Amino acid sequence: HTGDGRHRSVRDLVSQLWFDDFDEATAGAEGLCDLTVPSNPQAAANREVIGATPSVLEGLERLVRSGSPNAAYHACEALSQLAFRNARNAQRIMDARSPDLPAALAALLALFRPARPPPAGLRAPGGDGDGVGEKKEAGFDQFDQPVAMAGLDDDSAYDLRGAVLRVLNNCAWGSPRACADIAEHTALMDALEDMLREAWRSPALQCAARNPAGDLGEVVEKTVEQM
């Protein structure tokens, strides 16, 4: 059901996620999102139907990993709306491990992490190697940043990162078990920790730490602008 009384087939939209043309596949994600936004009077029922539809999470995971900023953004928006006030969908997202949707979200966040050397224990012994072989053996899910992602301006990168965080927020808010799964997911927590460390380098936050009586809202606004 759409907000204006028309009907769109959930099955067709889910099938569209698998189109070879990523613009068409992205349109499928946008359609699913439209059916589940709070302004849609049928949103709650639509979330139940879509969340229970086979291959929907796999299709959205495909877009998250596509390397296309637009596809990844709209896939995350659809995921966040599916998880909004829906414990079953929140847990489905965290349980989707074949393919691994939480790892795909973590990898997307990791694209915007500050560069840092690999842990000392994973470097090539007795040399200056980058430890690539050791990282693969340890199960690190690291890959080169897609060209389209590398070319994002700051505003677009911020929007994409925010879309991922909305997925995690809605999953954690909607399901205590999903919240615990997020907290236990090493890659997700590493990416989130790096974001917090990056934010802490903001002059606005450092000023707030020295002046706790300041306006928190103003500090947050300045920090968001600088990230």
Side-chain angles (χ1 to χ4, degrees):
H1 303 275
T2 63
D4 57 6
R6 293 180 296 110
H7 295 269
R8 296 189 67 180
S9 167
V10 169
R11 182 177 298 178
D12 287 347
L13 289 171
V14 171
S15 297
Q16 195 170 339
L17 300 175
W18 298 93
F19 284 12
D20 291 335
D21 185 323
F22 275 112
D23 288 338
E24 291 291 336
T26 300
E30 291 182 84
L32 294 173
C33 187
D34 289 343
L35 295 178
T36 51
V37 292
S39 59
N40 188 318
Q42 302 295 328
N46 289 339
R47 290 185 194 112
E48 291 290 343
V49 172
I50 295 170
T53 301
S55 82
V56 63
L57 295 183
E58 292 86 349
L60 291 171
E61 189 270 354
R62 172 180 179 256
L63 297 185
V64 170
R65 284 196 185 272
S66 67
S68 162
N70 190 49
Y73 173 83
H74 286 290
C76 288
E77 288 292 271
L79 287 167
S80 68
Q81 293 301 331
L82 283 174
F84 182 69
R85 296 183 177 179
N86 190 301
R88 277 183 291 272
N89 285 344
Q91 195 57 54
R92 282 170 175 146
I93 290 170
M94 292 308 300
D95 284 344
R97 302 300 175 97
S98 182
D100 197 329
L101 182 50
L105 295 171
L108 192 55
L109 277 182
L111 292 176
F112 306 104
R113 291 164 69 176
R116 63 179 184 179
L122 295 177
R123 294 176 185 167
D128 296 326
D130 61 6
V132 171
E134 290 81 355
K135 283 190 281 186
K136 288 182 179 178
E137 290 177 4
F140 276 56
D141 185 19
Q142 305 224 351
F143 49 89
D144 292 335
Q145 188 173 28
V147 174
M149 295 290 189
L152 284 180
D153 57 50
D154 289 343
D155 288 343
S156 297
Y158 174 80
D159 288 343
L160 182 53
R161 185 163 54 178
V164 179
L165 295 178
R166 282 191 290 276
V167 178
L168 300 178
N169 176 76
N170 287 353
C171 286
W173 189 92
S175 166
R177 185 178 149 213
C179 184
D181 288 345
I182 292 171
E184 294 172 0
H185 196 288
T186 301
L188 278 173
M189 295 308 295
D190 284 350
L192 292 171
E193 180 182 350
D194 281 348
M195 289 182 61
L196 290 173
R197 291 181 182 276
E198 179 188 358
W200 182 247
R201 289 196 293 269
S202 160
L205 276 182
Q206 293 177 11
C207 177
R210 294 191 297 269
N211 181 26
D215 186 337
L216 180 60
E218 182 179 351
V219 169
V220 171
E221 182 178 353
K222 289 181 179 179
T223 301
V224 169
E225 290 174 353
Q226 294 168 2
M227 285 182 65

